[in-house]
Amino acid sequence: MSTQQQEPETDAEPEPESQETPTDQEMSGLSSPQQKRLQRKHEGAAERERAAAEDDLEGDTVHLKVFRFDPEVEGKQEPRFDDFHVPFERGMTVLDAVIYARDEFDSSLTFRHSCRQAICGSDAFFVNGRQRLGCKTQISELDQPVRVEPLPHQEVVKDLVVDMDHFYDQMHSVEPYFQQEDLPDGELEEQRQTRENREKVKMSTRCIWCGACMSSCNIAAGDNDYLGPAAINKAYRFAMDEREDEEIKEHRLRIVEQEHGVWRCQTQFSCTEVCPKDIPLTEHIQELKREAVKKNLKFW
Amino acid sequence: MYEHDVIVVGAGGAGLRAAIGAHEAGADVAMVTKLHPVRSHTGAAEGGINAALREGDDWELHAYDTMKGSDYLGDAPAIETLAQDAPEDTITLEHWGMPFSREDDGTVSQRPFGGLSFPRTTYAGAETGHHLLHTMYEQVVKRGIQVYDEWYVMNLAVTDEPDPNDRTCHGVVAYDVQSGAVEGFKANKGVILATGGPGQAFDHTTNAVSCTGDGNAMAYRAGVPMEDMEFVQFHPTTLPSTGVLISEGVRGEGGILYNEGGERFMFEHGYANNDGELASRDVVSRAELTEVNEGRGIEDEYVHLDMRHLGSERILDRLENILHLAEDFEGVDGLVEPMPVKPGQHYEMGGIETDENGATCIDGLYAAGECACVSVHGANRLGGNALPELIVFGKRAGRHAAGDDLGEAEIETGYSEGVEEEDMELPITPGEAGIAETGATETDDVAADGSGQLSDPEGVLERTVTEERERVEYLMEKDDGIQHAEIRAKLQKAMTEDVNVFRTEAGLKRALQAIRECREAYRDVYVDDPSRTFNTDLQMTIETRNLIDVAETITLGALVRNEFRGAHWRQENQERDDENWLKHTLVSWNGGKPSIWYRPVILEGEDKTYEPKVRSY
Ligand SMILES: Cc1cc2nc3c(=O)[nH]c(=O)nc-3n(C[C@H](O)[C@H](O)[C@H](O)COP(=O)(O)OP(=O)(O)OC[C@H]3O[C@@H](n4cnc5c(N)ncnc54)[C@H](O)[C@@H]3O)c2cc1C
Ligand code: SF4
Ligand code: FES
C-alpha cells in the first residue's frame, strides 16, 4: 500500500522547464553571515510567538491524529487515523508526543526514531501536510489537531514506518564514495583542501538521509527512476570536492546528467523547503546542470 | 541460516571500521545492525578526534594525557596503542574523503580540548561524528560489504563449557524487524560486538533511544566479564529539557560557565584554578551540581554557558550547529543569550572486557567501541578520545577476527583462579538467582557436569535459534501483565536518582533494590502488539531486559568501589585510594549468579611506568 493518495493540496502544476540562472534568494543560497543573521532574527520572532503559544497550551492536551496501518492485523489493514490526547509540556516536539502516545496509550504505535536531535534522520513524517522531522518540530508551532502521517510516495510498512529501500538504492547509485586513488605519499600526509572548497561542499555534506526531500518531490513521485534531490546532492558533494581529480568529476557529471538525473528537476523548490538540514538542494542541482553544460556533456 | 567469515554486530563508527578492517584482511564480512548504519549514534558526536599529528606533539604526550585523565585506571598497553595508531587511522579517514575543517595551508585543523596538553583534537566543523560515520559508511558501500540493516541481534551462539574461557562463539541470532523472522547468522571466524553505549539506563542522557547496551548484556550473559561499569561519564553541558549535548568545543573556543550570581565559578569557587572551564568532565560536572546543590544554580536546576563574547563570526564559523541545537531543542539564541546547561549521562567507560586486539575471553568473540572496555578511558574519558578508539580498536578487532596476526596481547582477559574476589554482603541477590523460570528469561544454564554439551557450530547456532524463537513466541502469546515502558521508566528513574555524579552507599543499595524489583516485574512482561511486522514493542521489551542487566553491573561496581576516582565519586570516601583501588572491577554473570572480582591495572608502558599523580587541573 502506498500513501500516494494523501498528497497535500499543493500547486502541483509543473512549471515549465527552466535552466536559467536563478534570481530567487533560495536559489542563491543564504550563504553570507549577514543573511543568516537576518534569517535568524526572523526566527527569533517566531521563537517569541512560540513562547506565547506555549503559554496558551500550558496545562492543555495536544490532539494528535495519527495514521495507522498494519498489513497483518485485523482492523488495521484498512488505513485509519487514531486520535490521541497527550498532555502538553513546554518544548514538546512531535516526536515527544508520539512517544508519549505509544508509551502511555498504545504500545503498538510504530515509528522510527533514535537520536532525538535531528542527526540520525529516522523520523521524517508528514506532519500537517508537510515533510518534517518529528524531533525537530515543536508542537506549539502547529495547528491542532496535529496530523501525523508517513512520508507520501513511499510504501508504508506499518503506521509511520515507510520502506526506505528505494531511497537507499538511489543514494547508492551515484557512487557515493570518495574515489581518489592517487594519495600523498608520506604516512601522515593529508590531501590539501582549501578552506573555500571545504566551505563550498559543507552544506552538501550535512545530509542525514531522512528522505523528506524525495518524498516532497513531484518529479520523483512520477518517475520512479529519478535520482532525486538527496542522491544528486550526494553527487554534488563529491563532484565539487577539489580533492578528487577532474576525470572523476566528469564521471560523476555523467552519472547525474543521465536520463533520470538533473535535467528532470523542474526547480519547484519543494525539496529545499522541507530539508531539515537547510541544504540548498535546488541550487546544487542547478549548479550541476551548469557544470554539465560547461563540460559539453551530452544531455537529454 | 546466513553464513559469513566475520559478523559485525552494529554499524556505528566502531562497527563500520571493524567491517572495513576485516574486509581489508580478506574476510567475507557482513554487518548486522538494528539501525541503518547512518542512523547510528556516532553521528551525534560533535567535538573531534584526538590524534598527535603535528610538530611539537607526539603519541607519548597523548598517552600521558589519557593516562592522567583516566585517573590511572587505564591499562598502559591499551592507551599506548590508541595514541600510536590514532594519527595514521585519522589520516586514513581524510584519505577516504572526510571533510575535515582546514587551515589556511589546506592541512586539517586541530583545536584544544579539555585535559589535553596540546591542541590535538582533529575536527570537521561541529559535526565530526556525522562526517566520520558517513565517510566510513561510504567506504563500506564502495567495498560492497553486505549490510543486514534493521536486523535486531537477540543473542550470541556460544558453546556451553562450564568455564567461559573455554567457550567459543559461532554466530548470532537476529530477528528481522521488518518481517519478524528469527534467523541464525553463522560466523566462521568471529563475531565483533560494536553495539555502542548503554545510556538508556538513565533518563537524562545524551545517548540515543537505541543505546540500550544490547552487546554488553549479551556478552555478559554468555560469560564475558563486564569491566569497570561504575565509571559513567556525565557530560557537564547538556540542555536541560532534552539531554542534547552542547559540545566541549564551545569551552574549547573560550565559552564561559556562570552561576546564578554571574560568578565564573570554575575559578571563583576554586574547582579548577588552572584549567577552569577546560578541566575534565567529571570535575566540571560535579562543580555544576555543587553550585546547584548549594543554591547557586538557575531555577535550582542548571548553570549558564556563555559564548557571546566570541563574536558572531567566530561562532558561525566554528560552532554553527550549536546555535541550531540551542534554538531547536531549548528555544535559546546562543548569539544573544547564554545557554542553560546541566550534567547528563554521556559515556560508559566500562564495558565488555577485551584485550588490545579486541578479543574477549570467549574464542571468536570480539568487542570494540563504546560497548567494549580495553581499557583506554579508565575512570574517566577525555573528550575526543572515543572516536579514535572506534577507529583504532574497530580496525584491530576486524583484522584480528579475519585472521591477521597482530601479535600477542599484553592485556589478560577472563576470570582465573587466584584473582582477588569481592565478598561484600549485598542487600539483594543480583542476577536471576531466586527468580522463577519463565519463558521470558534466558535459558543459558550451564550443564554442570559437562553433559549435553554441544560443540559443533551448526548445532550451537540451531539451538540458540530455537531458544530465541521460543522466547519471541512466549512474549507475543502472553496476553497480559506488565509492559516494558513501565519497567524501563522505573529503572531509569532509579539510576538517575541514585547512581548519578554523587553516590552514597544508601543510595546505591536503594538502586539495587529497585533494579531487583524491575527484574521481578520483568517476569510478567508481555508484548501487546500482535503483529510480526515492524514490532518495536517486542524489540523494546527485549532491550529492557538488557538494560536491567547492564544497570545492575553499573550499580554493583559503584557500591563496592568505596573511593573517589575519575567519574566515580563516593560520599563515604572522597579520596582516591591508590593503596587499595588501582584495580579494575569485574562482574561475571556466572549463569545468573553474578560475582565480583578484581584485576590490577597495568601501569607499565612500552618504555616507562606511569606514576599515579594527583589529578589537578
Ligand atoms: C552527543 C555525543 C557527542 C559525542 N562527542 C564526541 C566527540 O566529540 N569525540 C569523541 O571522541 N567522542 C564523542 N562521543 C562519544 C562517541 O561518539 C561514542 O562513544 C561513539 O560514537 C560510539 O560509537 P559505537 O560505534 O561504539 O556505537 P554507536 O555509534 O552507538 O553504534 C551502535 C551500533 O550498534 C547497533 N546495535 C546496537 N544494538 C544492536 C543489536 N541488538 N542488534 C544489532 N545492532 C545493534 C546500532 O544499530 C548501531 O549501528 C560523543 C557521544 C555523544 C552521545
Ligand atoms: S537532502 Fe535534506 S531532506 Fe533530503 S535526505 Fe538529506 S537531509 Fe533529508
Ligand atoms: S530522532 Fe533522529 S532525526 Fe529525529
Side-chain angles (χ1 to χ4, degrees):
Chain A
M1 96 121 256
S2 145
T3 47
Q4 298 271 10
Q5 75 274 14
Q6 298 155 15
E7 260 178 66
E9 309 100 89
T10 52
D11 37 344
E13 214 47 11
E15 278 160 39
E17 204 151 330
S18 126
Q19 290 156 30
E20 284 149 20
T21 322
T23 47
D24 188 294
Q25 201 214 233
E26 286 274 6
M27 286 284 284
S28 55
L30 289 163
S31 42
S32 80
Q34 291 95 314
Q35 275 172 309
K36 283 191 189 146
R37 187 66 205 114
L38 279 174
Q39 189 193 15
R40 209 164 263 122
K41 247 196 166 141
H42 175 73
E43 282 168 8
E47 214 50 70
R48 282 188 290 281
E49 270 167 41
R50 181 207 295 176
E54 287 197 331
D55 288 339
D56 285 352
L57 279 168
E58 201 79 66
D60 254 354
T61 57
V62 179
H63 182 184
L64 299 176
K65 274 183 130 27
V66 185
F67 178 89
R68 306 301 302 271
F69 166 77
D70 188 317
E72 11 159 359
V73 173
E74 217 178 312
K76 277 178 83 181
Q77 282 154 333
E78 273 307 309
R80 62 163 203 244
F81 281 87
D82 280 356
D83 295 279
F84 296 103
H85 296 271
V86 170
F88 177 78
E89 268 181 42
R90 195 168 277 274
M92 182 175 241
T93 62
V94 170
L95 179 64
D96 293 333
V98 289
I99 288 178
Y100 188 95
R102 179 196 65 197
D103 288 352
E104 302 295 325
F105 304 134
D106 181 354
S107 62
S108 73
L109 178 58
T110 304
F111 43 91
R112 290 191 182 95
H113 66 301
S114 184
C115 69
R116 302 164 303 151
Q117 55 181 90
I119 195 66
C120 76
S122 304
D123 64 338
F125 306 140
F126 196 56
V127 181
N128 282 0
R130 184 177 191 262
Q131 287 79 1
R132 311 173 199 250
L133 285 185
C135 62
K136 202 182 168 224
T137 306
Q138 294 284 325
I139 284 280
S140 57
E141 285 174 355
L142 301 169
D143 291 335
Q144 290 201 37
V146 177
R147 279 168 72 95
V148 190
E149 299 167 70
L151 288 181
H153 307 311
Q154 269 150 295
E155 287 293 311
V156 176
V157 176
K158 175 175 168 181
D159 295 350
L160 302 176
V161 176
V162 294
D163 191 335
M164 294 291 286
D165 284 350
H166 178 60
F167 177 81
Y168 295 148
D169 286 347
Q170 300 305 75
M171 293 300 273
H172 292 167
S173 73
V174 299
E175 302 182 12
Y177 36 78
F178 201 68
Q179 311 210 14
Q180 186 67 22
E181 301 293 340
D182 192 11
L183 296 167
D185 282 341
E187 203 184 309
L188 290 184
E189 268 295 280
E190 64 263 58
Q191 306 164 86
R192 300 294 194 268
Q193 182 181 27
T194 61
R195 286 189 163 181
E196 294 69 38
N197 186 251
R198 187 203 177 244
E199 198 58 34
K200 181 164 183 64
V201 298
K202 182 170 105 180
M203 292 309 285
S204 66
T205 61
R206 292 201 169 152
C207 174
I208 56 172
W209 296 45
C210 71
C213 53
M214 183 86 139
S215 165
S216 77
C217 175
N218 278 314
I219 313 302
D223 172 6
N224 207 36
D225 292 328
Y226 176 44
L227 290 173
I232 296 176
N233 174 67
K234 194 77 174 168
Y236 174 97
R237 177 254 170 280
F238 289 106
M240 297 300 164
D241 192 317
E242 67 184 11
R243 291 174 293 173
E244 278 190 341
D245 287 345
E246 215 37 42
E247 263 167 54
I248 306 175
K249 177 170 179 176
E250 265 183 38
H251 172 67
R252 292 194 182 283
L253 288 172
R254 265 179 238 288
I255 294 175
V256 295
E257 68 92 56
Q258 45 123 326
E259 185 181 354
H260 302 281
V262 287
W263 301 110
R264 287 277 152 151
C265 171
Q266 298 180 357
T267 55
Q268 293 177 12
F269 291 101
S270 62
C271 54
T272 307
E273 276 158 26
V274 300
C275 176
K277 289 288 158 183
D278 302 325
I279 303 171
L281 294 161
T282 315
E283 190 200 342
H284 288 169
I285 297 172
Q286 293 299 88
E287 199 176 336
L288 285 173
K289 287 180 185 171
R290 289 195 296 272
E291 286 288 307
V293 172
K294 235 172 35 196
K295 291 267 185 290
N296 215 356
L297 297 173
K298 167 179 77 71
F299 61 90
W300 301 81
Chain B
M1 190 184 79
Y2 300 89
E3 184 171 348
H4 296 275
D5 291 342
V6 176
I7 302 277
V8 181
V9 181
L16 291 166
R17 192 63 187 85
I20 296 169
H23 187 264
E24 280 167 345
D28 157 32
V29 52
M31 315 191 69
V32 187
T33 171
K34 69 181 179 184
L35 302 174
H36 183 279
V38 301
R39 320 268 176 236
S40 302
H41 204 51
T42 292
E46 297 164 3
I49 311 170
N50 296 339
L53 296 173
R54 298 284 174 248
E55 194 100 355
D57 195 9
D58 64 43
W59 72 262
E60 285 169 307
L61 288 173
H62 185 186
Y64 177 83
D65 292 344
T66 304
M67 182 59 96
K68 180 180 172 201
S70 81
D71 227 355
Y72 303 91
L73 204 68
D75 285 325
I79 288 177
E80 295 190 342
T81 303
L82 176 89
Q84 286 164 346
D85 289 8
E88 192 188 329
D89 290 345
T90 303
I91 292 300
T92 299
L93 293 172
E94 197 284 331
H95 289 175
W96 288 340
M98 182 159 159
F100 284 108
S101 293
R102 299 281 166 166
E103 291 304 302
D104 284 338
D105 67 355
T107 56
V108 300
S109 299
Q110 296 196 301
R111 64 178 161 211
F113 233 41
L116 300 186
S117 58
F118 190 92
R120 71 170 72 87
T121 306
T122 320
Y123 63 100
E127 308 135 348
T128 311
H130 166 79
H131 294 308
L132 177 128
L133 182 71
H134 283 255
T135 301
M136 286 203 285
Y137 177 61
E138 288 158 13
Q139 292 297 311
V140 159
V141 173
K142 183 177 185 185
R143 287 163 171 74
I145 293 171
Q146 172 125 33
V147 179
Y148 299 89
D149 75 278
E150 295 187 338
W151 277 81
Y152 178 84
V153 174
M154 305 174 67
N155 213 345
L156 309 174
V158 173
T159 57
D160 53 7
E161 288 83 358
D163 182 351
N165 298 328
D166 298 333
R167 296 179 193 164
T168 308
C169 179
H170 292 298
V172 304
V173 177
Y175 102 93
D176 179 1
V177 180
Q178 187 131 346
S179 75
V182 176
E183 302 289 347
F185 288 76
K186 185 159 169 281
N188 296 322
K189 290 188 166 168
V191 169
I192 303 171
L193 297 172
T195 52
Q200 287 295 320
F202 294 81
D203 65 8
H204 191 79
T205 174
T206 63
N207 283 196
V209 173
S210 60
C211 298
T212 52
D214 296 337
N216 297 61
M218 291 189 288
Y220 177 50
R221 293 195 299 262
V224 183
M226 290 295 110
E227 179 174 352
D228 293 338
M229 291 298 285
E230 64 272 30
F231 295 103
V232 179
Q233 183 169 79
F234 292 82
H235 196 286
T237 53
T238 71
L239 296 176
S241 60
T242 48
V244 167
L245 179 136
I246 298 302
S247 163
E248 204 137 23
V250 176
R251 282 171 293 137
E253 296 289 343
I256 296 176
L257 289 168
Y258 294 110
N259 64 15
E260 193 186 24
E263 291 169 305
R264 190 175 181 180
F265 57 87
M266 290 308 297
F267 290 103
E268 292 184 39
H269 290 270
Y271 297 105
N273 288 327
N274 293 326
D275 292 8
E277 281 82 4
L278 288 179
S280 74
R281 291 180 177 165
D282 58 304
V283 174
V284 182
S285 290
R286 254 186 306 274
E288 289 175 4
L289 266 203
T290 306
E291 290 298 300
V292 172
N293 290 346
E294 293 180 1
R296 296 189 294 276
I298 298 142
E299 289 181 16
D300 279 335
E301 193 194 354
Y302 54 85
V303 296
H304 273 146
L305 175 60
D306 200 347
M307 60 177 183
R308 290 172 294 182
H309 58 286
L310 301 177
S312 61
E313 200 175 320
R314 182 145 165 220
I315 295 173
L316 283 170
D317 182 40
R318 310 236 184 142
L319 301 164
E320 194 193 328
N321 93 313
I322 301 295
L323 289 175
H324 293 302
L325 293 178
E327 227 165 68
D328 294 339
F329 304 106
E330 200 68 40
V332 165
D333 183 347
L335 289 178
V336 300
E337 53 197 321
M339 300 174 285
V341 293
K342 75 176 206 182
Q345 191 281 346
H346 181 50
Y347 186 86
E348 171 61 61
M349 266 75 71
I352 303 166
E353 185 204 42
T354 71
D355 64 25
E356 63 272 37
N357 297 331
T360 70
C361 65
I362 293 182
D363 207 29
L365 184 61
Y366 298 78
E370 191 169 337
C371 69
C373 181
V374 197
S375 118
V376 164
H377 312 299
N380 180 53
R381 174 178 73 94
L382 293 182
N385 258 356
L387 296 180
E389 181 191 17
L390 306 182
I391 53 176
V392 167
F393 294 101
K395 172 179 161 187
R396 292 177 75 87
R399 299 183 62 160
H400 193 263
D404 264 11
D405 182 7
L406 300 180
E408 189 74 29
E410 285 174 55
I411 295 172
E412 250 186 284
T413 55
Y415 172 89
S416 55
E417 292 294 324
V419 297
E420 181 192 349
E421 320 240 4
E422 176 62 57
D423 53 12
M424 178 194 268
E425 198 156 319
L426 299 171
I428 49 103
T429 315
E432 278 181 333
I435 294 191
E437 281 287 318
T438 69
T441 58
E442 303 290 289
T443 46
D444 57 353
D445 332 26
V446 179
D449 57 356
S451 66
Q453 267 178 25
L454 272 171
S455 56
D456 79 294
E458 273 89 11
V460 173
L461 187 58
E462 271 164 31
R463 183 196 58 197
T464 317
V465 170
T466 308
E467 282 167 7
E468 292 306 316
R469 285 191 180 144
E470 282 168 6
R471 171 152 75 137
V472 169
E473 286 316 308
Y474 173 85
L475 290 170
M476 298 281 293
E477 272 163 28
K478 190 166 154 46
D479 291 330
D480 54 14
I482 188 165
Q483 293 198 282
H484 71 80
E486 199 179 315
I487 303 176
R488 195 183 279 212
K490 179 182 161 97
L491 182 78
Q492 291 175 331
K493 190 161 160 275
M495 292 299 285
T496 295
E497 249 167 48
D498 283 321
V499 199
N500 210 313
V501 286
F502 288 109
R503 294 171 173 179
T504 67
E505 184 179 338
L508 292 165
K509 288 185 167 164
R510 220 173 15 243
L512 278 179
Q513 188 66 46
I515 294 166
R516 179 72 184 182
E517 285 160 19
C518 291
R519 198 185 280 289
E520 282 175 4
Y522 195 85
R523 284 156 69 200
D524 197 26
V525 80
Y526 80 111
V527 174
D528 195 41
D529 187 352
S531 178
R532 300 277 154 180
T533 307
F534 224 97
N535 193 329
T536 50
D537 191 3
L538 172 62
Q539 184 180 325
M540 293 183 82
T541 302
I542 300 170
E543 288 170 347
T544 299
R545 164 67 208 276
N546 292 337
L547 284 171
I548 294 172
D549 286 337
V550 171
E552 192 170 76
T553 61
I554 295 171
T555 313
L556 285 173
L559 179 63
V560 295
R561 186 177 288 271
N562 187 21
E563 68 158 345
F564 165 26
R565 183 180 299 272
H568 172 68
W569 181 95
R570 275 293 295 272
Q571 189 193 43
E572 294 79 12
N573 187 7
Q574 301 179 23
E575 296 281 329
R576 192 175 80 190
D577 178 359
D578 288 344
E579 190 128 337
N580 296 302
W581 287 102
L582 276 175
K583 60 191 182 191
H584 300 291
T585 318
L586 293 119
V587 186
S588 291
W589 175 245
N590 279 337
K593 304 181 194 66
S595 66
I596 304 166
W597 50 283
Y598 301 102
R599 193 198 301 284
V601 63
I602 307 175
L603 296 177
E604 293 78 39
E606 226 170 67
D607 39 39
K608 74 156 168 272
T609 296
Y610 298 83
E611 289 299 333
K613 294 206 182 78
V614 178
R615 206 168 57 107
S616 63
Y617 286 95

